[in-house]
Amino acid sequence: MRKNRGALSGIGLAAVLALGPAQAADGAENVWRLFVADRNEPVMHVLDAASGETIESFTLESQGRLYASESGETVFAVQADGNVAAAFSTGIAEDDHGDHADLDVTAPKALDAKIAGEKPVHFVAHHGEIAIFFDGEGVARVVREAELAAGGMQQRLVETADPHHGIAIPMGAYTIVSVPDGEDPSRLPVGVRVLDADGQPVGEIAECPGLHGEAASGRVVAIACDTGLLIVRAPGGTPEIDHLAYDASLPEDAKVSTLVGGRGLQYFLGNFGSSAVVLIDPEDETPFRLIELPLRRVHFAVDPVQAKFAYALTEDGRLHQIDVLAGEIVKSAAVTEPYSMDGHWNDPRPRIAVAGDEVIVTDPLNGVLHALDTRSLEETREIPLAGAPYEIVAVGGSGAVHD
């Protein structure tokens, strides 16, 4: 498992901000904010993680699924029923000075950047670009994060053959895009292809039946298929795609369909069946390690600060800390009441974000956020939040703060 020394980003940056201002060991401050979308109402709340106070609330067009950019400076609310993806400034910007970092802390705000289209679903942030795939059109719209706050956003359109539940992954001058099932585009994609800057195909289609799920870790991208994973590297700038077949020791009746990428260590964490997760290290001689959970899995996330840990919540309301180096559960704690996985996939259930040295778990049926210490897994406090807090990302970092 390789070390990934990339900047704090995505869930990681979000997690740090969730903790709120606090003095770090070197005299710098840790600043975290929590972005929480309601399950029943079209609203997103921004909380100071340290105090638990709501800084701002934003009205959405419909229920929003939340994603942080790699820098942590932008959060997107992807609203499938509202046919729009809206961008918000987190109000946290890191300025790297080599021996230390400065944090510019301002109020969170809605940006003018709104990416409209029919049924936006899949969000990918990669190397400063954001790609949102619109299932209802079979197209992706790609923007550069650096242009969002400046108000000069230009959209690059990436087209496919048919509307389908697809993905697009920006990779420098290239884009990897899903290939729909030619016989029935309503089914999951059957592969991916590489497009150049002019939208022209490069090479052959890489087969990926039942494509669903994508993540990046370090300089590697993984895409989940029925038969295994596609592993994408671009050592010379041009994407190279290899197929990593599932190990024969894994259960035959399951597959990965949700992936998250490790931060600080290069690995991937995916679901595998209803009550297990699998650790994936494409560089290892034994790339798949299955971890059985005591009950069905509700949600899982990686720890971007303590890179060796990940977390999974099971339907009995217990949170499990996973040591990804050892490949086993090392701590467990009761957090919420039971949340059954029976019913609709979008029923209100808890979600996890890691914020520095705290794990934050939403509890939509009780209108609270639970904060647990990552070292002991003891609950340190509850943060009340009206409504049904559901989706969550945490953004933040450590540095000298300039308001």
Side-chain angles (χ1 to χ4, degrees):
M1 190 169 294
R2 296 187 175 183
K3 291 184 179 180
N4 169 10
R5 296 185 180 180
L8 186 65
S9 60
I11 295 176
L13 178 58
V16 174
L17 288 178
L19 296 178
Q23 285 299 120
D26 59 0
E29 290 185 4
N30 292 322
V31 183
W32 295 90
R33 286 176 178 165
L34 299 173
F35 287 71
V36 184
D38 194 88
R39 169 58 183 83
N40 301 324
E41 300 296 331
V43 63
M44 179 184 71
H45 305 288
V46 186
L47 283 69
D48 176 86
S51 66
E53 295 180 356
T54 299
I55 302 171
E56 185 62 86
S57 296
F58 298 99
T59 300
L60 307 177
E61 299 295 328
S62 69
Q63 179 189 350
R65 306 195 80 85
L66 304 184
Y67 304 90
S69 67
E70 292 174 303
S71 70
E73 294 182 18
T74 313
V75 162
F76 277 81
V78 178
Q79 303 157 69
D81 293 337
N83 293 323
V84 68
F88 300 85
S89 169
T90 64
I92 308 289
E94 180 178 318
D95 188 8
D96 186 5
H97 291 279
D99 61 338
H100 74 282
D102 286 350
L103 291 181
D104 292 325
V105 181
T106 58
K109 64 180 180 180
L111 299 174
D112 292 335
K114 288 189 176 182
I115 306 172
E118 187 176 347
K119 198 177 181 182
V121 175
H122 202 102
F123 173 97
V124 175
H126 198 249
H127 290 183
E129 290 194 306
I130 309 295
I132 298 173
F133 197 90
F134 292 78
D135 287 8
E137 302 172 66
V139 305
R141 293 178 172 88
V142 183
V143 300
R144 294 193 62 79
E145 184 186 10
E147 297 177 353
L148 298 178
M153 179 188 71
Q154 295 183 351
Q155 298 185 27
R156 175 165 59 89
L157 193 68
V158 180
E159 299 180 295
T160 67
D162 292 291
H164 67 286
H165 187 47
I167 62 168
I169 306 167
M171 297 195 74
Y174 300 90
T175 305
I176 297 173
V177 65
S178 54
V179 176
D181 187 319
E183 296 182 0
D184 184 0
S186 68
R187 296 193 294 228
L188 292 176
V190 297
V192 300
R193 72 186 325 153
V194 179
L195 303 180
D196 65 17
D198 297 321
Q200 298 302 308
V202 178
E204 302 296 323
I205 293 173
E207 295 184 2
C208 182
L211 184 158
H212 195 282
E214 165 278 339
S217 181
R219 295 188 176 275
V220 179
V221 172
I223 303 169
C225 320
D226 288 347
T227 55
L229 273 65
L230 296 183
I231 303 300
V232 187
R233 304 175 179 89
T238 303
E240 298 176 1
I241 304 176
D242 297 307
H243 182 262
L244 179 64
Y246 291 133
D247 192 281
S249 65
L250 295 173
E252 295 183 358
D253 60 347
K255 69 166 191 172
V256 173
S257 60
T258 301
L259 277 169
V260 292
R263 309 295 182 190
L265 292 172
Q266 185 176 283
Y267 74 96
F268 299 92
L269 181 65
N271 62 332
F272 210 83
S274 62
S275 57
V277 292
V278 62
L279 292 164
I280 306 152
D281 181 359
E283 314 297 338
D284 199 280
E285 293 182 0
T286 306
F288 297 97
R289 288 183 294 166
L290 191 71
I291 300 175
E292 297 282 358
L293 301 173
L295 286 169
R296 289 183 294 184
R297 178 197 59 257
V298 176
H299 194 235
F300 59 93
V302 300
D303 190 326
V305 178
Q306 299 180 86
K308 66 179 286 188
F309 292 126
Y311 302 89
L313 187 81
T314 46
E315 60 183 348
D316 57 354
R318 292 180 65 82
L319 184 70
H320 308 279
Q321 186 182 65
I322 298 168
D323 185 323
V324 301
L325 297 178
E328 61 184 12
I329 295 172
V330 291
K331 289 188 181 73
S332 299
V335 182
T336 72
E337 64 186 60
Y339 276 84
S340 172
M341 290 302 293
D342 292 331
H344 193 273
W345 65 269
N346 197 32
D347 285 344
R349 299 184 181 95
R351 296 289 183 263
I352 305 167
V354 182
D357 58 5
E358 286 188 313
V359 185
I360 310 296
V361 181
T362 64
D363 191 347
L365 295 185
N366 292 296
V368 298
L369 310 179
H370 301 273
L372 291 84
D373 184 280
T374 57
R375 294 164 295 237
S376 65
L377 228 56
E378 293 181 359
E379 184 166 340
T380 57
R381 59 197 171 119
E382 287 187 355
I383 303 172
L385 187 60
Y390 183 41
E391 290 274 323
I392 182 171
V393 295
V395 295
S398 177
V401 174
H402 303 283
D403 293 320

